[in-house]
Amino acid sequence: MNSSRSEAAVTSSSVATRPPGTPAGVPVSDVDPFSIEFFEDPHRIHDELREAGPVVWLSRHGIFAVARYQEVYDVLHDWQTFCSSRGVGLSDFAKEKPWRPPSLVLETDPPEHDRARAVLNRVLSATVMKELRPRMIAAADAKVGELIERRTFDGIADLAQAFPMSVFPDAVGLRADGREHLLPYAGVAFNAFGPDNDLRRRALASVAPHVAWVTEQCQRENLAPGGLGAAVHAASDTGAIRSEEATLLVRSLLTAGIDTTVNGIGAAIYCLARFPEQWRKLRQDSTLARAAFEETLRYASPVQTFFRTTTRPVEVEGVTIPAGQKVLLFLGAANRDPERWDDPDEVRVDRPDADRHLQFGGGVHHCMGTHLARLQAEVALGALVALDDLAPAGEPVWSERMVIRGLQRFDITFRPRTP
Ligand code: QZP
């Protein structure tokens, strides 16, 4: 692909000189994709990284990176060369002890990966979602009903967080008290994927009470019958997994299941409030809710980056990456690659192929929570169309965190819909 792309024409200051230890034949960048400044506005840097070449060396962290759609896609689809069992953060599990026992799905390779995955796939199947759907719709309508009483609201706290928090913990079967640990726990888990910087150190320094609560709730006796957590444990009765494995798989639900949907729905609110034309399109045809969600995931990429580790020397478009190297995947850059998307920097809620974005990863590790995420987003947007003239009532404020890029606050105004 992209023989037309100019690889030498890198003029930016972020593409640095070649410090000692730089691998030969690879463009170098000194950007830090784990800094707060990067998260304020990653898009210009994404453009530079894609333009620099198919593979870039990030000198700050001593890692290879790919930012073009094709290469990110290819890496995701080659688990044998680009493994997950050495961790999908910067820390290499072959060299450093992970901060928590590795996930049985995220941080494993086939064949171990596949057995655990089969269990979660069944627990999170489309059939199970059908059962959850009526409750989700009622909860979304109730949430938006509360907002209608007001002139402005915080699109993040009052909707992007409040709605998933009103349905997800119940769906899992968690007890009512202590749920406030869920988002902070996941916040730490995502920051822990980054380098050993201030954000990561501060996150890990505060994690103990969140770990204690989450670990406790993963136990079979603490999960309500009929919920997703109980369904994971039921798989240990058939011998599909051992009971300790079930406990750890519930932890995956609790780590991956809430911060992601909160920031996904937050991304949708971010886009729809800022692009009135797109909001109008959705309001005129609320069956676009699902497509609108895909497009806002593509445009905003709440999950910015993930790593793989090479298991052998591998050539990527003429660049040799040695064995045992961390490779950073810029999902957010791939999702706006002009070689892949028409007018990538525009939000179009009816973009026909928006769902080809890489926010759910790809290949053997492709997200298993897609049905649950899409269901929540669809019913949230479906309920939100009850509001007229959604518009920003203040500047969006980005959260100070890594890996997940999302808003901390975004005040929204609207008019109640006139019948
Ligand atoms: C987080 C786990 C890769 C993330 C976007 C989502 C994620 C998936 C799984 C786990 C954590 O298994 O703990």
Side-chain angles (χ1 to χ4, degrees), residues 165 174-183 210 213-214 217:
M165 282 299 291
L174 295 174
R175 65 198 282 178
D177 66 291
R179 291 177 177 189
E180 68 278 4
H181 287 289
L182 282 171
L183 279 169
H210 311 314
W213 187 83
V214 164
Q217 306 323 309

Side-chain angles (χ1 to χ4, degrees), residues 124-163:
L124 296 168
S125 70
T127 319
V128 174
M129 297 309 124
K130 213 170 262 173
E131 273 166 50
L132 287 172
R133 190 181 182 93
R135 266 178 277 164
M136 296 262 180
I137 293 173
D141 288 343
K143 194 52 70 187
V144 171
E146 287 168 28
L147 301 180
I148 287 179
E149 307 295 312
R150 303 157 55 169
R151 272 299 282 141
T152 69
F153 64 95
D154 177 358
I156 304 307
D158 300 332
L159 187 59
Q161 293 180 355
F163 171 61

Side-chain angles (χ1 to χ4, degrees), residues 100 103 105-106 190 193 251-252 255-256 260 303 306:
R100 61 174 196 169
S103 161
V105 279
L106 183 70
F190 281 102
F193 292 126
R251 194 196 67 180
S252 284
T255 313
T260 47
V303 183
F306 258 89

